[in-house]
Amino acid sequence: MDRTEKGTVRGALNIRTEGLFTPAPQPMPPTGGPRLLRWLPYLAVAAVAVFAANPGTEDISMRPVGMAREALLVLGLSWPVPAWWPSMVMLPVFSLHPPFGPYVGWAWAVHAGLLFLIALRNRPRVLGETVLLSTALLLGPQLSGDAIGPRHFIAIVLVMFALVEADAIGVRRTGEVRTRLAEQ
């Protein structure tokens, strides 16, 4: 942000929107070792996406949509916030449209994975906003009478959100401590 904008309304709006509306890539930090190992996280996440989407339903026409949904996690490795937005749009479709029923659990698990990636690469404020909006998306239909699932499913997703975020915060803080120790 430009110093002349600090303390102005425009500056406040820039601070407010820079986290959730940034299209900038946030790639994974470089890893040491052989070049092949740098691609290992991408390959592992892509394999999970294929296996998660493939057996979800007997309706073969739904499988590509499920695979596209799961592929958001691969996109999230480099662009976690931009991948989170299509996830937010797709979750109500997967949760409330019966042909996608077999993918509902995986859809929310992928969304929690995107929240994890957001937590690793963004400030706590951005994490709080994404978790708050995701929780509202989960509880909103439940409160309005359009149940996404039984109450135990909602509880499982909320616990999953909490565990993923606690883990991401722990990983991030460990990295910060290591960086400080390396500087000293």
Side-chain angles (χ1 to χ4, degrees):
M1 173 173 51
D2 187 12
R3 287 182 178 236
T4 59
E5 291 182 7
K6 195 172 186 177
T8 65
V9 172
R10 183 175 178 185
L13 289 175
N14 282 342
I15 289 172
R16 200 73 211 132
T17 61
E18 70 185 10
L20 287 180
F21 300 105
T22 180
Q26 297 172 322
M28 291 182 55
T31 58
R35 189 178 289 262
L36 180 61
L37 287 179
R38 294 178 189 166
W39 289 97
L40 189 60
Y42 294 94
L43 295 173
V45 170
V48 168
V50 168
F51 289 125
N54 203 15
T57 181
E58 295 298 320
D59 188 0
I60 293 180
S61 66
M62 294 293 138
R63 286 186 182 171
V65 178
M67 290 176 78
R69 167 77 185 108
E70 311 307 332
L72 286 175
L73 196 53
V74 177
L75 179 68
L77 287 171
S78 293
W79 290 280
V81 175
W84 176 79
W85 282 108
S87 178
M88 288 289 286
V89 171
M90 293 175 87
L91 278 172
V93 173
F94 275 77
S95 297
L96 300 173
H97 193 55
F100 295 113
Y103 295 113
V104 171
W106 280 108
W108 286 99
V110 166
H111 194 73
L114 290 171
L115 290 173
F116 178 79
L117 294 172
I118 288 170
L120 289 178
R121 297 193 186 102
N122 291 282
R123 293 186 312 272
R125 179 187 56 82
V126 176
L127 170 62
E129 291 170 351
T130 55
V131 169
L132 182 66
L133 290 171
S134 299
T135 303
L137 184 67
L138 175 66
L139 296 177
Q142 192 77 15
L143 296 174
S144 70
D146 293 331
I148 287 177
R151 289 183 187 203
H152 68 275
F153 176 77
I154 303 296
I156 289 170
V157 172
L158 290 173
V159 167
M160 185 171 48
F161 282 1
L163 290 175
V164 162
E165 298 318 310
D167 188 37
I169 290 169
V171 168
R172 184 177 177 145
R173 287 194 177 147
T174 301
E176 290 171 356
V177 167
R178 285 185 181 168
T179 302
R180 278 192 236 132
L181 285 174
E183 289 172 356
Q184 290 178 358

